[in-house]
Amino acid sequence: MAEEAAVRAQAETVRRLKQDKADADEIAKEVAKLLEMKAQLGTDEGKHKFVLKTPKGTRDFGPKEMAIRERAFKAIISCFKRHGAEVIDTPVFELKETLTGKYGEDSKLIYDLKDQGGELLSLRYDLTVPFARYLAMNKITNIKRYHIAKVYRRDNPAMTRGRYREFYQCDFDIAGQFDPMIPDAECLKIVHEILSDLQLGDFVIKVNDRRILDGMFAVCGVPDSKFRTICSSVDKLDKVPWEEVRSEMVGEKGLSPEAADRIGEYVQLHGGLDLIEQLLQDPQLSQNKVAKEGLGDMKLLFEYLTLFGITGKISFDLSLARGLDYYTGVIFEAVLLQQDHEHLEEPLSVGSVAGGGRYDGLVGMFDAKGRKVPCVGVSIGIERIFSILEQRLEASEEKIRTTETQVLVASAQKKLLEERLRLISELWDAGIKAEMLYKKNPKLLNQLQYCEETGIPLVAIVGEQELKDGVVKLRIVATREEVNVRRESLVEEIRIRTSQC
């Protein structure tokens, strides 16, 4: 390409001049010429090659999306606080070895950062492992905490279903030595409260126990070495039919067809207390010490959930496996049930919206002496919840406010900028959320239209007559009613009127 050849020739000229120690002004002149030629070349290239987009599996959130998101966060955080949780934060990247070996087959989804000659680092995959590292590092043995932050996975994104490569997790965990199943029951109550509060529709919280699963694998003839990998296969049952899972177990993972068929009989069972009682009488499972322990705790859990009044939404489900390696006891997952929304063309399918469980050994992995801190926690799938809320609001055409402005300070005549500035400053200082248009002499109609468009409920109008009388005209945008308010009473009047909105 002629332009590129010209750039190369000009670069050679600059090099030669520098070698020959030519006059500084002459070198500067030729360098400027070279930079101009490069810029010209870059502009032309850019038009063809540079695509403005977000990376795969990520997205931007505009003001409207953020307003919906904040609404959901507010409900979740208020629930966590209602249950007495403190808040922490941890770095977005961890030492690679901190994350290695904690996620089973999902470890391949961890983002490793480029080795630049320092520590080997990876982006955090979830908030649970960093929490366990935090507990071990700070020798904390007792805490109830929540943590809301972004995590990263090299997953195959399904954006419409709220599955991203960068996404928020909202975690609540209870760490410490307590009596069995009391903290576990509270975690399930929290899931129930949040999903009910967000009004996402009908849902079910599936519960199981890793010990019941391990006992089930043992009595079905699964070798110990295959427990975790078979567990990962069972974990896929909510996405693919049993036949596919069975063929993966037998064909890819080398399990005997007889063992797979025995597993198949168990994993299709789900119910409540009656199923727990039935399994406690099961001739094989009842002989397995680990499974019996798990079933005993599951029975206790259901008794506590009955006291909380939420068993109507709980299902003891033997197909629930949760593929993460660190779970040791109770595991659970909340799933939204398919429903026909009148205003939606097709039912939303977003799968799991919360999950969690007990992980008593994870903190010990980071402790030099292997000291364990029992933990149980829940993670709310905010991205999936957000997808539903967003689609639902789009379908209902409800207008979303993206600001919290209570009042617009406006003027009816010209040359009143100073008075508007004086009044808005008084309102800001009193803690009132106020705006004004950035024009010296805005038309009143434009100011009123701005309120209509953005949903600002009140307009404080400054006029010459009002200034003489020591009042401000307060206009209620929705009804167009106007009242004169004494300047000294304005703040209180705005507060009263906006508290009713």
Side-chain angles (χ1 to χ4, degrees):
M1 211 170 133
E3 290 93 338
E4 285 176 345
V7 167
R8 280 196 294 274
Q10 182 61 19
E12 190 54 44
T13 304
V14 170
R15 261 193 302 275
R16 204 171 50 249
L17 286 170
K18 284 180 177 176
Q19 259 172 355
D20 298 342
K21 294 194 167 78
D23 177 63
D25 286 345
E26 191 183 354
I27 292 173
K29 187 178 152 193
E30 294 303 324
V31 166
K33 193 174 170 186
L34 174 65
L35 290 173
E36 194 178 330
M37 289 168 78
K38 278 185 174 177
Q40 199 65 43
L41 190 67
T43 308
D44 291 345
E45 272 189 344
K47 281 177 187 168
H48 305 297
K49 292 185 181 175
F50 188 59
V51 181
L52 273 174
K53 66 186 276 296
T54 60
K56 185 180 178 182
T58 66
R59 62 172 284 192
D60 291 322
F61 293 90
K64 189 177 154 195
E65 289 87 16
M66 285 306 293
I68 301 166
R69 169 166 289 236
E70 281 182 358
R71 195 187 284 184
F73 277 148
K74 194 176 169 188
I76 292 165
I77 291 169
S78 74
C79 177
F80 290 164
K81 287 184 173 178
R82 190 161 61 240
H83 286 263
E86 301 171 287
V87 62
I88 69 160
D89 196 12
T90 63
V92 76
F93 45 80
E94 294 274 351
L95 294 177
K96 186 178 177 178
E97 63 194 77
T98 300
L99 306 184
T100 307
K102 313 295 187 307
Y103 301 108
E105 292 182 5
D106 284 346
S107 287
K108 61 183 181 289
L109 303 179
I110 293 172
Y111 270 107
D112 293 329
L113 297 184
K114 187 180 175 185
D115 180 8
Q116 293 176 311
E119 297 172 319
L120 290 180
L121 305 169
S122 299
L123 292 178
R124 62 184 171 207
Y125 176 89
D126 67 2
L127 301 177
T128 309
V129 171
F131 174 54
R133 190 264 311 147
Y134 168 83
L135 293 180
M137 200 173 101
N138 295 289
K139 298 188 168 42
I140 295 167
T141 56
N142 196 316
I143 189 173
K144 188 193 291 187
R145 81 88 175 87
Y146 76 88
H147 187 185
I148 295 179
K150 285 182 174 179
V151 299
Y152 299 85
R153 297 184 185 181
R154 289 173 52 90
D155 209 344
N156 242 345
M159 311 280 275
T160 52
R161 289 181 53 220
R163 198 158 92 215
Y164 300 93
R165 289 182 163 184
E166 176 195 60
F167 57 96
Y168 271 100
Q169 278 194 336
C170 306
D171 281 21
F172 173 99
D173 293 80
I174 300 170
Q177 193 75 51
F178 303 108
D179 288 337
M181 297 297 111
I182 303 172
D184 311 58
E186 184 170 3
C187 285
L188 288 162
K189 176 81 169 94
I190 283 167
V191 175
H192 188 280
E193 281 179 26
I194 288 169
L195 296 183
S196 303
D197 194 14
L198 290 171
Q199 298 176 347
L200 298 169
D202 205 7
F203 62 89
V204 64
I205 305 168
K206 300 177 183 180
V207 294
N208 199 0
D209 194 300
R210 260 292 164 75
R211 293 166 297 174
I212 299 171
L213 273 171
D214 286 353
M216 176 182 83
F217 293 151
V219 302
C220 289
V222 178
D224 287 8
S225 59
K226 284 191 170 26
F227 274 20
R228 287 294 155 261
T229 185
I230 295 302
C231 200
S232 291
S233 297
V234 172
D235 193 37
K236 294 172 185 170
L237 275 171
D238 61 334
K239 300 177 192 76
V240 295
W242 164 247
E243 289 71 29
E244 274 183 52
V245 170
R246 185 188 181 281
S247 65
E248 180 183 285
M249 285 176 176
V250 177
E252 291 174 35
K253 299 186 174 177
L255 189 66
S256 71
E258 298 78 36
D261 289 338
R262 282 199 287 273
I263 290 170
E265 287 170 26
Y266 280 116
V267 295
Q268 293 178 49
L269 300 172
H270 54 87
L273 262 172
D274 49 351
L275 177 59
I276 300 167
E277 296 289 4
Q278 181 191 320
L279 292 173
L280 279 166
Q281 305 305 316
D282 184 279
Q284 288 173 301
L285 267 187
S286 60
Q287 297 309 304
N288 183 283
K289 185 172 173 282
V290 181
K292 203 170 178 183
E293 255 176 45
L295 286 165
D297 276 352
M298 188 61 69
K299 186 178 176 184
L300 190 58
L301 178 68
F302 264 80
E303 286 169 13
Y304 296 152
L305 297 177
T306 304
L307 294 170
F308 284 154
I310 62 170
T311 45
K313 296 283 187 194
I314 311 282
S315 168
F316 172 39
D317 190 324
L318 283 171
S319 71
L320 179 67
R322 291 192 69 74
L324 299 176
D325 275 7
Y326 52 66
Y327 288 122
T328 55
V330 166
I331 48 176
F332 47 86
E333 190 162 277
V335 182
L336 287 189
L337 299 176
Q338 283 285 350
Q339 50 206 311
D340 299 316
H341 292 286
E342 294 160 30
H343 47 261
L344 293 180
E345 286 168 29
E346 54 187 61
L348 295 173
S349 172
V350 291
S352 164
V353 287
R358 178 160 283 283
Y359 51 100
D360 288 348
L362 190 56
V363 179
M365 287 186 188
F366 296 114
D367 189 276
K369 293 180 181 172
R371 283 170 297 214
K372 291 185 177 181
V373 177
C375 297
V376 64
V378 58
S379 187
I380 306 296
I382 187 66
E383 302 299 345
R384 290 183 173 187
I385 288 171
F386 176 67
S387 279
I388 303 161
L389 293 175
E390 198 177 15
Q391 289 175 50
R392 187 172 291 171
L393 281 159
E394 223 167 84
S396 70
E397 293 176 7
E398 182 194 328
K399 203 167 188 290
I400 298 288
R401 275 201 73 187
T402 55
T403 70
E404 294 180 8
T405 309
Q406 295 165 281
V407 63
L408 182 84
V409 174
S411 57
Q413 293 107 3
K414 291 183 178 181
K415 298 183 181 174
L416 287 169
L417 174 63
E418 290 81 356
E419 291 302 333
R420 282 193 293 143
L421 290 171
R422 201 172 280 131
L423 179 57
I424 201 166
S425 184
E426 282 174 26
L427 295 176
W428 285 336
D429 292 346
I432 297 292
K433 294 163 185 161
E435 282 185 68
M436 58 177 269
L437 296 196
Y438 304 126
K439 274 182 166 290
K440 275 187 172 180
N441 299 309
K443 291 178 180 169
L444 184 60
L445 184 64
N446 291 352
Q447 295 170 92
L448 298 177
Q449 270 176 342
Y450 179 74
C451 291
E452 299 268 0
E453 286 161 15
T454 56
I456 299 173
L458 301 173
V459 192
I461 302 169
V462 181
E464 286 166 10
Q465 190 58 48
E466 285 82 7
L467 286 167
K468 280 180 198 160
D469 297 345
V471 297
V472 173
K473 188 177 283 178
L474 197 61
R475 181 184 172 101
I476 294 86
V477 176
T479 61
R480 301 186 178 179
E481 171 201 347
E482 291 181 346
V483 288
N484 283 340
V485 180
R486 301 287 313 159
R487 182 85 169 229
E488 59 272 19
S489 310
L490 183 62
V491 168
E492 193 52 37
E493 187 67 24
I494 291 169
R495 282 195 184 123
I496 291 165
R497 292 196 179 259
T498 50
S499 70
Q500 294 163 359
C501 290

